[in-house]
Amino acid sequence: RAWVNFNGTGVVAIRASGNVSSITDTGTGDYTVNFANAMQDANYAVTGSASGGDSGGEETILFPIENTFTTTGVDLRTSSGGGSSVDPIHVSLAFFR
């Protein structure tokens, strides 16, 4: 299991976490979550929320990027309700196996 709460704007900063070693910012709205201890396999579930997109008060959609689940991390993308990539102020994620 793992969980993380982070700020996705500017320099990405983890507020609190469990079994997450770092977040890599790979572009606007794109992040890689890196686990401190590897998952048993890549068949885990991820759930989460994102809010406060950098373009204002729009809703923010969070989803894992297909085929990026590994035992050491996963790539995620956030976008506005209109489909544009955004860097949210609040991102909270939980990973379960």
Side-chain angles (χ1 to χ4, degrees):
R1 290 177 279 215
W3 64 274
V4 65
N5 177 302
F6 70 94
N7 178 354
T9 61
V11 176
V12 173
I14 294 174
R15 291 183 185 95
S17 68
N19 196 32
V20 171
S21 60
S22 64
I23 305 290
T24 305
D25 186 348
T26 57
T28 302
D30 291 340
Y31 307 94
T32 300
V33 177
N34 303 294
F35 301 132
N37 297 298
M39 293 287 194
Q40 181 180 0
D41 56 42
N43 298 317
Y44 50 86
V46 58
T47 187
S49 63
S51 63
D54 54 8
S55 58
E58 340 180 336
E59 67 178 279
T60 305
I61 301 166
L62 167 78
F63 54 96
I65 299 174
E66 202 174 342
N67 300 318
T68 66
F69 286 74
T70 70
T71 59
T72 57
V74 65
D75 296 335
L76 301 164
R77 180 162 293 143
T78 55
S79 64
S80 68
S84 301
S85 294
V86 295
D87 287 338
I89 296 168
H90 299 280
V91 181
S92 296
L93 302 165
F95 304 87
F96 298 96
R97 168 72 175 77

